[in-house]
Amino acid sequence: MNVTPTSAIIKEFAWAAEAIAEMQAATNLERYEKAWLDYLHYLDRGWNKLEKHLAGISQKNLSQARQTRKSDALLSYLMHARNVDEHTIRQVVVKRPGSLKITGGPGGGTIQRGVFSGDGQVSNIVYEGALDIEFVPERMEIMGVTDRGVFYDLPKSHLNVPLNSLIPHELARLALDHYNSSLNAC
């Protein structure tokens, strides 16, 4: 079987996409974390192959792709998170506990009694006024990483668009879409 440069890149990016699907389907946080680490690995391998492919096509495109990877907050963060996972024993994600958020609407509200369980279930609640009750489940979030003595904070943007999530699979999709569009532009 003859492997072309683009088919090798496509394969790595397809495996990265599978890792995203595994994160979304994970039934526990350990499986989720493994899928995240797999994603970082496949994304980096795909980038390495894309970089070699671009080098054979256009130095201008290669230079531009490298600059974007270094200057874009999300792409740079993912590169360094992979390095930290690969070359150190430090974590690149953190487990956040679930929480219950109760806010009063216009005019506020008063809870007289109720049962709030750890899984987000609310029962026998008696209240007056307007209340919004939101359960946020336990989850994994990215965390700042130190790679070769340099701290890389949480990314705040991707391609100059603000990020409003720290959830790995949501950020993973954005980066993978970027690299796939770079490949399609070749």
Side-chain angles (χ1 to χ4, degrees):
M1 181 168 154
N2 198 6
V3 177
T4 66
T6 54
S7 68
I9 300 164
I10 290 168
K11 183 169 43 172
E12 297 294 343
F13 288 160
W15 288 338
E18 286 178 17
I20 293 171
E22 288 173 17
M23 282 184 264
Q24 292 173 309
T27 56
N28 63 58
L29 294 180
E30 288 74 27
R31 297 294 310 158
Y32 188 97
E33 182 177 8
K34 182 187 181 313
W36 170 245
L37 299 176
D38 289 346
Y39 165 82
L40 292 173
H41 171 80
Y42 292 127
L43 187 72
D44 195 60
R45 286 186 54 153
W47 159 256
N48 289 336
K49 292 175 182 185
L50 177 60
E51 186 177 35
K52 286 176 182 33
H53 180 63
L54 289 172
I57 293 175
S58 163
Q59 285 301 312
K60 179 182 175 196
N61 289 353
L62 174 61
S63 191
Q64 188 175 30
R66 284 179 174 162
Q67 179 57 34
T68 300
R69 188 171 192 236
K70 286 181 182 177
S71 64
D72 180 75
L74 177 60
L75 301 179
S76 175
Y77 172 84
L78 293 174
M79 172 180 60
H80 293 291
R82 200 267 341 159
N83 289 350
V84 168
D85 177 60
E86 185 73 18
H87 302 292
T88 75
I89 58 172
R90 293 188 300 268
Q91 291 292 112
V92 296
V93 287
V94 62
K95 180 177 163 182
R96 298 285 185 216
S99 63
L100 187 64
K101 178 178 156 184
I102 303 171
T103 55
T110 303
I111 298 174
Q112 295 165 347
R113 73 169 186 260
V115 177
F116 302 91
S117 66
D119 63 358
Q121 298 298 312
V122 178
S123 59
N124 298 325
I125 187 167
V126 177
Y127 66 94
E128 293 177 12
L131 291 178
D132 288 324
I133 301 172
E134 178 187 357
F135 177 70
V136 178
E138 179 180 58
R139 67 205 174 280
M140 295 296 259
E141 291 183 356
I142 63 168
M143 59 189 284
V145 296
T146 301
D147 183 18
R148 298 178 183 160
V150 177
F151 181 72
Y152 296 89
D153 205 353
L154 302 173
K156 304 238 185 309
S157 66
H158 173 54
L159 303 175
N160 298 318
V161 175
L163 296 173
N164 39 356
S165 176
L166 298 176
I167 306 299
H169 68 267
E170 294 172 2
L171 300 172
R173 174 52 53 201
L174 294 171
L176 185 58
D177 287 349
H178 168 75
Y179 285 126
N180 276 321
S181 69
S182 295
L183 176 60
N184 293 334
C186 292

